[in-house]
Amino acid sequence: MSDESVISRSALTGAEPWLVLPAALAVPPGAGAICDDEGARKIGRGAAEGAFTTGPVLVAHASLTARRLGLSPPARSPDLLDVLELYAFVRPARFCAPSPNGLALALGLTEPRGAEAQAEALRHAAGALLRELADPAYPHREDALTLAETLGRASGGGAGWGWAWRVSGALQSQPMRQRQYRGSGLDAWSRLPEWEDEAPRGEAGSAAVDSESARIRLAKLLQASGLDETRPTQSDYAAEAAFAFSPRNEEGRPRVLLAEAGTGTGKTLGYLAAASVWAERNQGAAWVSTYTRALQRQIDRESAALWPDPAERKKKTVVRKGRENYLCLLNLQDMVQAAQLGNGDLIGLALTSRWAMHSRDGDMTGGDFPGWLPGLFATPASNQASAGNLVDRRGECVHAACPHYRTCFVEKTIRASRRADLVVANHALVMTQAAFDGARSARGLKQDGETAALKRIVFDEGHHLFDAADSAFSACLSGQEAAELRRWIRGPEGRGRRGRGLEQRLGDLVGDDSSAQKALQDAIRAAAAFPGEGISGRIAPPSGEVNPVGPIEQFLMAALEQIRARTSEAASSAASEFGTECAVRPATEPLLETARGAAQAIAALEAPLLALARHLEDILDDEANELEPASRARIEGALRGLDRRARMTLPGWRSMLAALQDGGDQPDPDFVDWLSVETAFGRIHDVALRRHWIDPTVPLEAAVILPSHGVLVTSATLSDPMAEAAGGDLFDMARMRTGSSRLIEAPRTLKVESPFDYASNSRVIVVNDVSKDDPRQTAAAMRELFLAAGGGSLGLFTAIRRLKAVYERLGPDLAKAQIPLYAQHVDPLEVGALVDIFRAEQDSCLLGTDAVRDGVDVPGRSLRLLAFDRVPWPRPDLLHKARRLKFGGESAAGRNYDDSLARARIAQAFGRLIRRADDKGVFVMLDAATPTRLFASLPPGTEVQRMGLVEAIELTKGFLGETA
């Protein structure tokens, strides 16, 4: 649309030119709709495709719209105006589900139902956002105008931003102050506030938290939250939680409480009551660790009851993640400069820079960054303004040598956590950092400041503790891992690649010492023997002409040959979505022979890295009185990276290879070693030698539990009623899977039932006439159940392959009923964004796997039916078989171990369905062979009914129709 035509139209309508908008296109399942000056109307697929490809047109999520039209993701165009990009500009760092419904709800509009309403809402949303910019009270309008003018010019070798002139017009519709800041507006790194050092807080005190104080604090929190109902179970839970915050009497004897609190108990406020009293009395930080990002956000929100003032809450509550989650300002600067020269997505980077100026903490993975932003248009992965490109996931940080060190989001968060009362972290960070601190303490070095105060821990989502420990304390020698280590040392070796090698990061720190300089150069040379990029093309090329380079690639090629020889399917066939694996013993001669060369290459790298680390430690020791704080911080940061690799990763790899050569055919009783191959799109992606603890709670106990003073492990699904029925204890499995069974002082246990009326508000159905192995029958069953529920349905799958097969059959049928269907691994959106859309659209449906099951928190009618395609048995891989033998033994005991895991997964999924007292939901298992014993962990009052599909459809329709 030309500017002249817009001006002429504005003259006719009396509207400002910047407020004259093109038609809006909405393409939900079924017929699309378009809304222009004449109103909203349905259009056919051909007309929708024409509007989308010729423009000008408004859309919400251009790539998702294109997929629904059967088109490839579009390139950014001035005629394709994505309202989500406008939202990201107008309301940076504010939540919005990426859909027309999400936009409407974020702007306080009524949820649009149907295609015409969505198209109309999309146009209203665009107008509302532009009017918001024109409001005299819009903050920092001068900075916004500077950026809009930059994006209006030709950028990155292409056309300017389609929204730019409208945004500029809206901003300039009000008087502008003289701009204090001149420039492009892209350089957020130069305008962010700096952090300031503060005196150390000191060791936390040992004042106890009594039960009555916890109850009183909870009552105040409920009052602050506007909740006046009396929930005795929640008060009892808070009182018992105080035990984990009482002082221990002996080293190595932490106060541990295993507490199961049914859904709706209000456990978050319950343990926050005890934790906040402890932090207040002892001037220390209580850590709350979660497994999912969704719960981190929820805990952060609920802490508002403790500190209603946002400024105070920002100081008191800190959400803490690994540094690979936060925007790296140096990476942002590098990418912006490249994009200004035509190599990159300047518009996406500009919107990211604007977000950085308003973000609470710079968290790009689950924080306030719009994760849907990089995927709106077709942009090469290497050029996207995405977390994958903008966080420091390779450990290349230069710390105090970085020009943005004083504004760094990571450094701000670390410092804030040292002075916070509540640190909301995740299991992975707590475990890896505790293991790292423990290793440093064993060598007589001080603990890392990030978790030095890790003495009082609440593990929420405690049922995931075992799996989190399994991941944190495992080892993997793979082509990708080895290539990443090579890059960390040598830097990017291809043309045009960003990154910084060890010499760029440390060269000036060791430049005056010849022996340290030699160690650095020796490490760089030794790293050349490690795999470079493109390893899969050398050891498993489609042509079959292998060309391994270096001893590690030769070892991995021998591993691949052993896998092919020992498995029934060729690894290269990619028949299994999980890849292929085989036992490492008995090892073939080529594997043993190449293992020696690989071990020598690892040792040749390990030695100079250790020498370099010792040199840096000497500097800290010998020059303690002379070092500037920035230099000390830089050296300590470099040592963290060196320690992780030279004292943890590389020795772990050597240990695996040594066990392979020296252990004969007898496996280590504590570990499981195996070979695996990963496949993607029909090709081999990576090959690995892996080692996991059979019982990962052994290192969990040593690194995390024993050094702490108090630990609360809590979840809605910790106990196992079948264990009690077999003569054991409800918490036997929880003790085993948390490592607390070996403690000198036995943990306390608590079980608090849910207050919900499950007998009245839920139905549990096992459909007994659908073949779980036929995707057509599964798709037909889900279709009819989803239609009976009127949407609001979640389909859970144990395999991605079956999910995709059902999606292909299910989508068109739901589209005819105008019920939106989204799917993990299908739609161009991350899991969190899919769940956000599902939550916002009351009648949509979603298909997903474990990640969706664990991340869904959807109260209300948006989730009213949940269907499993089959029993979520644990996958019988080598690792699981070893654990079943250890924890369950042979025959019946081994079966009970499998049962307990499946029972817990079913209970966790059921817990997603009823989130509030007024929720109603139907839980369906489409596996006729489901044993009744697997439902034993469901809340009291639930009754399992077995019936045919037709009867299940009628029951669902009648039960949910009562509240429709």
Side-chain angles (χ1 to χ4, degrees):
M1 181 183 296
S2 66
D3 291 352
E4 290 80 1
S5 63
V6 170
I7 292 172
S8 63
R9 282 180 56 197
S10 67
L12 291 173
T13 61
E16 296 282 358
W18 49 266
L19 200 52
V20 176
L21 296 169
L25 174 67
V27 190
I34 199 160
C35 179
D36 53 22
D37 293 340
E38 297 177 0
R41 59 193 180 279
K42 286 186 178 179
I43 56 175
R45 177 168 174 170
E49 183 177 333
F52 184 79
T53 54
T54 59
V57 67
L58 304 176
V59 296
H61 208 295
S63 287
L64 184 58
T65 304
R67 194 190 63 73
R68 285 182 171 168
L69 292 171
L71 304 173
S72 299
R76 188 178 274 106
S77 163
D79 287 332
L80 192 56
L81 299 168
D82 201 313
V83 183
L84 288 168
E85 279 196 334
L86 178 62
Y87 186 93
F89 184 96
V90 178
R91 295 187 172 188
R94 292 172 64 180
F95 173 78
C96 176
S99 69
N101 297 58
L103 282 162
L105 293 174
L107 293 168
L109 305 175
T110 303
E111 181 189 354
R113 302 292 184 90
E116 299 104 309
Q118 288 185 18
E120 187 174 6
L122 191 55
R123 208 158 186 250
H124 283 326
L129 289 167
L130 289 170
R131 291 189 185 92
E132 192 170 322
L133 288 174
D135 190 321
Y138 187 78
H140 309 296
R141 57 192 312 108
E142 293 77 20
D143 289 348
L145 178 61
T146 297
L147 185 60
E149 290 175 341
T150 296
L151 295 183
R153 298 188 287 268
S155 54
W161 189 37
W163 286 108
W165 71 267
R166 287 184 172 86
V167 167
S168 296
L171 288 167
Q172 294 180 93
S173 66
Q174 298 294 332
M176 302 285 290
R177 292 189 299 238
Q178 182 177 358
R179 292 188 229 179
Q180 298 179 347
Y181 172 79
R182 293 289 180 179
S184 66
L186 295 165
D187 52 343
W189 53 84
S190 67
R191 292 178 287 148
L192 288 166
E194 296 185 350
W195 51 263
E196 296 181 358
D197 273 323
E198 296 185 63
R201 193 176 192 180
E203 187 77 16
S206 299
V209 177
D210 58 281
S211 298
E212 189 59 28
S213 295
R215 290 183 191 272
I216 294 171
R217 176 60 55 88
L218 174 63
K220 292 180 178 178
L221 294 182
L222 291 172
Q223 185 178 11
S225 301
L227 303 172
D228 55 1
E229 75 266 28
T230 300
R231 287 189 281 180
T233 54
Q234 186 182 28
S235 182
D236 292 343
Y237 176 90
E240 289 295 321
F243 172 73
F245 295 93
S246 58
R248 66 180 183 181
N249 295 325
E250 294 181 38
E251 185 180 12
R253 289 188 149 189
R255 300 299 180 97
V256 177
L257 173 65
L258 306 180
E260 176 176 293
T263 304
T265 302
K267 67 178 182 344
T268 303
L269 284 180
Y271 63 65
L272 286 183
S276 61
V277 172
W278 179 86
E280 188 178 285
R281 291 180 177 178
N282 293 286
Q283 298 299 297
W287 283 61
V288 178
S289 179
T290 76
Y291 191 70
T292 61
R293 297 167 183 167
L295 187 56
Q296 275 188 294
R297 293 196 297 267
Q298 178 186 327
I299 295 168
D300 181 37
R301 288 194 301 268
E302 295 208 28
S303 70
L306 285 164
W307 304 290
D309 178 61
E312 183 183 17
R313 183 162 64 95
K314 188 175 181 179
K315 294 180 179 179
K316 296 286 190 178
T317 304
V318 174
V319 177
R320 184 74 183 91
K321 299 181 181 180
R323 63 174 56 238
E324 69 278 2
N325 292 277
Y326 297 92
L327 173 68
C328 170
L329 295 172
L330 190 55
N331 283 349
L332 177 63
Q333 182 182 15
D334 288 347
M335 287 196 71
V336 165
Q337 291 173 346
Q340 287 175 313
L341 297 175
N343 184 26
D345 177 17
L346 187 61
I347 292 170
L349 289 164
L351 294 174
T352 301
S353 183
R354 182 157 171 76
W355 161 79
M357 290 297 300
H358 296 81
S359 173
R360 172 181 172 178
D361 55 9
D363 179 2
M364 296 191 75
T365 60
D368 51 22
F369 179 73
W372 38 260
L373 183 60
L376 296 183
F377 294 95
T379 306
S382 59
N383 290 341
Q384 285 184 353
S386 63
N389 290 323
L390 290 172
V391 303
D392 177 28
R393 63 185 178 88
R394 292 190 172 93
E396 295 176 339
C397 181
V398 295
H399 301 281
C402 177
H404 314 310
Y405 181 65
R406 300 289 302 187
T407 55
C408 174
F409 285 115
V410 177
E411 296 298 329
K412 287 178 181 176
T413 304
I414 291 172
R415 282 160 176 77
S417 67
R418 293 172 182 168
R419 311 222 27 113
D421 282 7
L422 184 67
V423 179
V424 185
N426 55 61
H427 296 349
L429 173 69
V430 168
M431 290 179 196
T432 55
Q433 192 62 41
F436 178 68
D437 278 353
R440 288 177 64 85
S441 296
R443 302 200 322 274
L445 301 175
K446 73 171 188 177
Q447 286 189 331
D448 191 296
E450 294 187 40
T451 53
L454 191 58
K455 302 304 179 187
R456 304 286 176 175
I457 316 171
V458 176
F459 285 111
D460 204 339
E461 299 177 302
H463 57 277
H464 284 300
L465 208 51
F466 187 93
D467 294 330
D470 182 38
S471 177
F473 299 111
S474 61
C476 172
L477 170 54
S478 70
Q480 296 297 324
E481 293 287 334
E484 282 290 320
L485 181 55
R486 171 178 173 145
R487 178 181 171 122
W488 182 79
I489 294 170
R490 295 177 63 88
E493 297 174 272
R495 293 184 60 186
R497 300 294 183 89
R498 294 179 299 105
R500 294 162 289 279
L502 206 56
E503 189 166 27
Q504 290 92 333
R505 300 198 300 274
L506 300 181
D508 59 321
L509 287 176
V510 300
D512 296 335
D513 188 293
S514 58
S515 60
Q517 188 63 238
K518 180 180 183 301
L520 175 59
Q521 295 305 319
D522 287 347
I524 293 172
R525 281 191 293 271
F530 279 53
E533 294 184 9
I535 177 177
S536 62
R538 293 188 293 275
I539 67 173
S543 65
E545 298 180 5
V546 297
N547 181 33
V549 177
I552 294 179
E553 290 192 14
Q554 291 171 352
F555 169 75
L556 294 174
M557 191 180 74
L560 179 58
E561 291 303 319
Q562 178 166 321
I563 293 171
R564 285 171 167 158
R566 302 280 170 80
T567 54
S568 57
E569 299 174 346
S572 58
S573 70
S576 170
E577 65 190 70
F578 299 110
T580 310
E581 64 177 27
C582 78
V584 73
R585 297 179 180 84
T588 61
E589 282 301 321
L591 189 70
L592 291 173
E593 183 61 34
T594 55
R596 297 186 186 95
Q600 290 170 359
I602 291 170
L605 177 60
E606 185 180 343
L609 289 180
L610 285 172
L612 194 57
R614 286 192 291 268
H615 172 74
L616 294 178
E617 289 168 351
D618 290 342
I619 293 177
L620 289 179
D621 187 24
D622 299 340
E623 303 178 21
N625 295 330
E626 304 171 12
L627 278 177
E628 294 289 333
S631 298
R632 174 174 291 278
R634 185 180 172 195
I635 292 172
E636 289 177 343
L639 274 173
R640 283 196 293 270
L642 286 169
D643 278 355
R644 290 184 193 278
R645 291 159 180 85
R647 292 190 169 107
M648 297 177 77
T649 300
L650 290 173
W653 290 354
R654 275 198 304 104
S655 176
M656 285 193 292
L657 293 170
L660 176 62
Q661 299 171 73
D662 304 334
D665 292 342
Q666 295 301 315
D668 190 307
D670 293 325
F671 298 99
V672 178
D673 296 339
W674 76 96
L675 304 173
S676 70
V677 59
E678 296 178 10
T679 56
F681 305 107
R683 295 184 60 180
I684 290 176
H685 176 65
D686 203 4
V687 182
L689 168 63
R690 300 178 181 275
R691 164 170 281 194
H692 284 238
W693 284 84
I694 294 179
D695 184 359
T697 67
V698 172
L700 169 66
E701 178 194 21
V704 182
I705 306 295
L706 283 178
S708 65
H709 292 213
V711 177
L712 167 60
V713 181
T714 188
S715 168
T717 52
L718 279 183
S719 67
D720 187 357
M722 293 300 289
E724 188 176 45
D729 182 85
L730 281 171
F731 287 89
D732 280 347
M733 181 63 74
R735 292 188 185 92
M736 182 274 291
R737 290 179 66 83
T738 59
S740 58
S741 60
R742 294 184 297 272
L743 294 175
I744 299 173
E745 185 173 328
R748 285 191 185 182
T749 59
L750 172 69
K751 181 176 173 65
V752 179
E753 298 290 355
S754 169
F756 296 157
D757 183 359
Y758 289 99
S760 300
N761 292 355
S762 67
R763 296 291 182 268
V764 180
I765 303 170
V766 177
V767 175
N768 56 20
D769 60 354
V770 171
S771 173
K772 65 181 179 183
D773 296 319
D774 185 347
R776 292 172 299 179
Q777 291 192 39
T778 301
M782 285 196 176
R783 176 193 66 213
E784 296 305 322
L785 288 166
F786 289 4
L787 290 173
S793 304
L794 174 64
L796 292 177
F797 294 78
T798 57
I800 299 170
R801 183 184 68 257
R802 289 196 299 273
L803 182 155
K804 291 181 176 179
V806 168
Y807 176 85
E808 293 299 324
R809 293 174 171 86
L810 190 60
D813 292 330
L814 291 183
K816 293 175 184 177
Q818 297 189 14
I819 294 178
L821 176 65
Y822 302 93
Q824 182 191 11
H825 303 294
V826 176
D827 287 313
L829 290 163
E830 61 170 359
V831 172
L834 287 171
V835 173
D836 288 339
I837 294 176
F838 181 61
R839 185 185 297 110
E841 298 182 1
Q842 193 173 98
D843 296 328
S844 65
C845 297
L846 175 63
L847 306 182
T849 57
D850 286 353
V852 171
R853 180 195 71 206
D854 294 331
V856 168
D857 182 17
V858 183
R861 280 184 53 80
S862 291
L863 176 54
R864 50 191 180 269
L865 183 141
L866 189 151
F868 256 115
D869 76 321
R870 60 180 62 197
V871 173
W873 294 112
R875 188 160 63 96
D877 54 23
L878 294 169
L879 181 59
H880 174 73
K881 290 177 181 177
R883 286 176 176 160
R884 180 170 58 194
L885 185 62
K886 178 178 178 65
F887 299 126
E890 300 289 352
S891 64
R895 189 196 73 178
N896 290 340
Y897 179 71
D898 284 351
D899 282 359
S900 68
L901 297 180
R903 202 157 38 237
R905 292 173 182 176
I906 289 173
Q908 290 151 22
F910 180 84
R912 305 293 94 191
L913 192 59
I914 307 294
R915 309 297 293 171
R916 303 187 311 209
D918 58 349
D919 279 357
K920 296 189 71 172
V922 176
F923 182 96
V924 181
M925 181 66 73
L926 297 174
D927 187 343
T930 307
T932 301
R933 65 181 184 272
L934 296 186
F935 296 103
S937 291
L938 297 188
T942 53
E943 178 187 354
V944 180
Q945 303 178 67
R946 295 179 181 269
M947 61 187 68
L949 178 60
V950 172
E951 190 178 354
I953 293 166
E954 291 303 315
L955 189 154
T956 298
K957 190 180 300 183
F959 181 69
L960 295 179
E962 297 172 7
T963 57

